[in-house]
Amino acid sequence: MTAAPTMTVRDLPVHAAARSLAGALPAFNMVAFHWRGSGDVRYRVRFTDGWSPWRSADDDAVAPQKGWHIGNIDWVGASTALQTRVGAGVTRLRSYTVWSGPERVLARRLQLANAPPIIPRLSWGADESIRRAAPQYAPTLRLAFVHHTVGTNSYTRAQSASIVRGIEIYHVKGNGWNDIGYNFLVDKYGQVFEGRYGGVDRNVIGAHTQGFNTGSFGVAVLGTYGSAKISAAAATSLEQLLSWRLDVAHVDPLSTLTYASGGNPRFPAGTPVFLRAVSGHRDAYFTECPGNALYAEIPAIAKAVASLGGPKIYAPLVARVDEVHTRITARLSAVQPWAVTVTNSAGVQVAQGTGTGTAVDWTWDATAAPPDKYTWTITAADARPATGTLGATTALALQKVVAAPSIVLPGGAVTVAYTLTAAATVTPALLGPTGQVLATFPAVQKPAGAQTLVVTPPATLPLGNYTLVLTAAGAARTVTATAPFAVDDILAAFTVSPVDATVELTRAPVGLTLQILRGTQIVATPPLAVAGGAQTVAWPALPDGAYTVSLTVIDELGTHVQSMPLVVDTTPPKVTVLSFRRLRFSLNEPATLVLTAGGRRYTRVLKAPKATQFWFKVMPIAYTLRATDASGNATTVRYRR
């Protein structure tokens, strides 16, 4: 590998006359500009045998919130000096000159079915150390943008990798992007280079078309194609690349779409823009890219792309009809037999639909399917299969049904927590110990997701074990689930304070246990007498912190557990006096402040640790400040002048 590319950045003087930058500049073979203002920028470079013709810098993007125009980086060949001319509206100008030496491209290529050989980043010498962030991915890919890189078309096959390496360093260190902006680059010899890191067959979000990068990929042809057509080799590779990548995404190259702009100088954010599946950069931005000649070829290129390869599956779509019916559609490029298959999380086929023609249209009835993660696949002879997932569930189901508390006093309310996989009408019912229906409650309409339902059983229920049954009815399916609980009066009272707990039982239990937990760790088991009546137990010495006190009562109806939170706080609040005279204080925890001055009390409640100040027109001669936290710990500050 040769040395990594180097880049020199200079702020240039702005003047209507030509300005030169030489001597201080190291040798370079690529150049780009950033500028502010409404004018244009022209430049020329000096070779060993004289100056080049004047060229215009292409405004390829505008840096958000900074107002800088971002130009493309041009391959100019080995140069020793730079001269610029700017329009009257230009207020700032910055040059980026890059030296990217010859690069020996490694022989390794990515060989993908129906794609041209792709030179991976390792083979063209990408500098992975300068990437700023991990790649980001779009959920779907919808279209391709064709670009040209500007600069000379007079480069050798061996110089192509050098150009790509120069673009990489400029995009990252000059423009501040995470990585090279294009997803692919194609040279005039038909070589295809992998651009932005993240996987050539994945929906990597690039930085090639401002406001339209998500859900698209950008491919740039090295060179300038304002009047010159791309070479036959470049056209062949470009068409093969577009055909393969759009086929991976199941996008018809001849289709159109409406894209809501993410925001750029031409199309403000949210503007709907009509685009072709194979578009030019200028379709989405104020730019001449990809040049008049190449842009004029795009319709013919799209037709050639559509004709390459075998049959294709376009625009697969999954639509949920209701909680048990899912419609799967697609379009085939030619009349042929097709099949749609649904498999469960174990890979076992659970349903299949078939047909013949160009329109795939099949609806899966999942009435009998249990909740699971399902995968759909569309297949047709010699076509790339289309596949996707149907989510975590397909049919209505009741999940995670729990009644709390598990023991209630006669007349007490029970809260049932549960999860619905689809919207449904939920009807609760109360069953007795032998399964008989004792009561039904009003039905409620609930959306999909986590839900709660409060049920108050009749106060006349005798002590015993009961069951709440939830019936959920959807459009095409009805399901039930149960939650057991007990009506029991053995536990008359259970209270917890920072220093002790009180337990009162109406009769002697079979078993009685009290535990103090910190997280899941049991830190103490204070002794309780296994007897009826009231008893109080004091806590052992506990470090300050948050705990859970768990009481387990066992009687003839079963085992009942109740938990209460406990906060141990024995540390007084810390008061920092920021100014005695100005009555400014700060506290390290929430507290109630009481300031006593001149026989009057002033109270202030701080709900968070912060600084506070009391205001007086006349400074009191003496005052007392008392800070009390939620646990009753107090700190007193006194002042007398």
Side-chain angles (χ1 to χ4, degrees):
M1 290 289 179
T2 58
T6 57
M7 184 169 67
T8 303
V9 184
R10 292 284 190 272
D11 282 313
L12 305 183
V14 177
H15 195 277
R19 306 296 299 220
S20 297
L21 186 64
L25 273 181
F28 61 93
N29 52 20
M30 303 184 76
V31 63
F33 298 93
H34 289 184
W35 68 95
R36 301 189 72 169
S38 58
D40 60 351
V41 175
R42 302 182 70 220
Y43 74 95
R44 64 178 182 174
V45 298
R46 187 174 65 197
F47 306 126
T48 56
D49 57 352
W51 289 92
S52 73
W54 287 97
R55 303 171 179 172
S56 293
D58 184 31
D59 174 9
D60 202 38
V62 174
Q65 301 177 344
K66 297 182 180 179
W68 283 92
H69 296 265
I70 297 176
N72 276 319
I73 186 164
D74 301 345
W75 175 266
V76 294
S79 306
T80 58
L82 173 67
Q83 197 172 65
T84 60
R85 287 177 177 169
V86 300
V90 176
T91 59
R92 293 281 301 276
L93 179 63
R94 185 172 295 157
S95 70
Y96 298 81
T97 52
V98 172
W99 176 260
S100 182
E103 176 68 22
R104 183 177 65 85
V105 177
L106 300 180
R108 181 173 178 267
R109 300 288 189 274
L110 299 177
Q111 300 291 339
L112 303 165
N114 299 323
I118 299 175
I119 300 172
R121 292 169 62 92
L122 175 65
S123 293
W124 59 259
D127 187 352
E128 306 297 0
S129 68
I130 66 174
R131 282 193 285 115
R132 295 175 181 267
Q136 294 182 313
Y137 299 94
T140 58
L141 190 141
R142 305 171 65 193
L143 76 159
F145 283 104
V146 177
H147 303 253
H148 69 170
T149 61
V150 193
T152 181
N153 294 347
S154 299
Y155 56 86
T156 67
R157 185 184 186 94
Q159 289 172 331
S160 296
S162 302
I163 296 174
V164 175
R165 294 169 74 219
I167 293 173
E168 178 196 28
I169 191 174
Y170 171 63
H171 281 185
V172 177
K173 293 189 174 182
N175 295 349
W177 298 346
N178 289 341
D179 193 359
I180 190 170
Y182 307 117
N183 298 93
F184 301 95
L185 303 97
V186 179
D187 71 4
K188 66 181 182 180
Y189 302 97
Q191 297 183 112
V192 179
F193 297 83
E194 176 187 6
R196 178 160 289 213
Y197 179 86
V200 295
D201 58 349
R202 301 185 67 185
N203 302 332
V204 180
I205 300 174
H208 50 85
T209 307
Q210 186 179 0
F212 296 81
N213 289 311
T214 301
S216 70
F217 71 96
V219 52
V221 182
L222 302 188
T224 301
Y225 300 99
S227 57
K229 291 187 175 182
I230 62 174
S231 68
T236 297
S237 292
L238 177 62
E239 291 165 1
Q240 290 178 342
L241 176 66
L242 291 170
S243 175
W244 164 75
R245 189 61 189 89
L246 291 173
D247 185 28
V248 170
H250 300 287
V251 173
D252 182 353
L254 300 178
S255 65
T256 58
L257 68 152
T258 299
Y259 189 118
S261 171
N264 67 32
R266 181 178 180 185
F267 296 111
T271 303
V273 181
F274 183 77
L275 295 168
R276 298 167 292 177
V278 181
S279 289
H281 186 187
R282 66 173 63 179
D283 291 325
Y285 191 78
F286 288 129
T287 179
E288 294 182 359
C289 181
N292 290 337
L294 178 51
Y295 185 75
E297 292 184 67
I298 287 181
I301 289 172
K303 288 182 180 179
V305 168
S307 67
L308 290 176
K312 297 181 179 64
I313 300 173
Y314 294 139
L317 180 65
V318 175
R320 193 73 171 266
V321 178
D322 53 41
E323 69 265 22
V324 294
H325 293 95
T326 301
R327 185 183 181 190
I328 302 173
T329 60
R331 183 167 52 85
L332 305 181
S333 62
V335 175
Q336 58 184 308
W338 54 263
V340 182
T341 304
V342 177
T343 57
N344 61 18
S345 58
V348 178
Q349 178 177 313
V350 297
Q352 185 180 67
T354 60
T356 300
T358 58
V360 176
D361 194 341
W362 176 70
T363 299
W364 177 39
D365 182 352
T367 301
D372 197 359
K373 291 185 178 181
Y374 292 91
T375 299
W376 59 268
T377 303
I378 302 173
T379 56
D382 300 323
R384 184 188 302 274
T387 188
T389 59
L390 293 174
T393 59
T394 58
L396 173 64
L398 274 165
Q399 301 173 333
K400 303 176 183 178
V401 182
V402 178
S406 60
I407 174 175
V408 295
L409 293 170
V414 180
T415 299
V416 183
Y418 60 97
T419 298
L420 282 172
T421 60
T425 300
V426 179
T427 305
L430 175 66
L431 303 187
T434 61
Q436 72 276 29
V437 178
L438 301 179
T440 57
F441 302 91
V444 290
Q445 183 65 36
K446 293 287 188 176
Q451 307 292 341
T452 58
L453 187 68
V454 179
V455 176
T456 303
T460 56
L461 280 181
L463 304 184
N465 290 306
Y466 297 89
T467 301
L468 280 171
V469 178
L470 300 187
T471 301
R477 183 171 182 161
T478 299
V479 294
T480 61
T482 60
F485 72 100
V487 176
D488 195 346
D489 64 355
I490 188 171
L491 182 60
F494 175 39
T495 60
V496 172
S497 77
V499 295
D500 58 26
T502 298
V503 178
E504 183 177 355
L505 303 179
T506 59
R507 60 186 182 275
V510 176
L512 186 65
T513 304
L514 187 67
Q515 295 178 326
I516 302 175
L517 300 94
R518 194 163 195 173
T520 58
Q521 180 183 6
I522 300 173
V523 297
T525 306
L528 284 175
V530 183
Q535 52 183 313
T536 299
V537 58
W539 303 135
L542 295 171
D544 285 6
Y547 299 85
T548 299
V549 181
S550 178
L551 176 69
T552 302
V553 181
I554 304 174
D555 67 359
E556 65 279 6
L557 295 177
T559 300
H560 312 293
V561 179
Q562 287 206 14
S563 298
M564 301 283 284
L566 170 66
V567 176
V568 177
D569 181 5
T570 60
T571 304
K574 180 181 179 181
V575 179
T576 301
V577 180
L578 303 177
S579 173
F580 275 111
R581 294 184 59 81
R582 297 185 179 181
L583 289 87
R584 294 187 68 242
F585 314 95
S586 68
L587 280 85
N588 67 332
E589 64 174 309
T592 299
L593 299 181
V594 178
L595 181 75
T596 304
R600 300 187 64 180
R601 292 162 56 91
Y602 306 89
T603 302
R604 183 168 297 170
V605 178
L606 300 185
K607 296 183 179 180
K610 65 176 182 179
T612 189
Q613 183 172 10
F614 290 85
W615 296 94
F616 289 87
K617 290 184 177 180
V618 179
M619 170 69 182
I621 296 174
Y623 64 80
T624 300
L625 178 74
R626 185 175 179 83
T628 307
D629 65 17
S631 298
N633 305 305
T635 299
T636 301
V637 175
R638 292 181 173 85
Y639 171 77
R640 176 177 293 276
R641 63 176 177 173

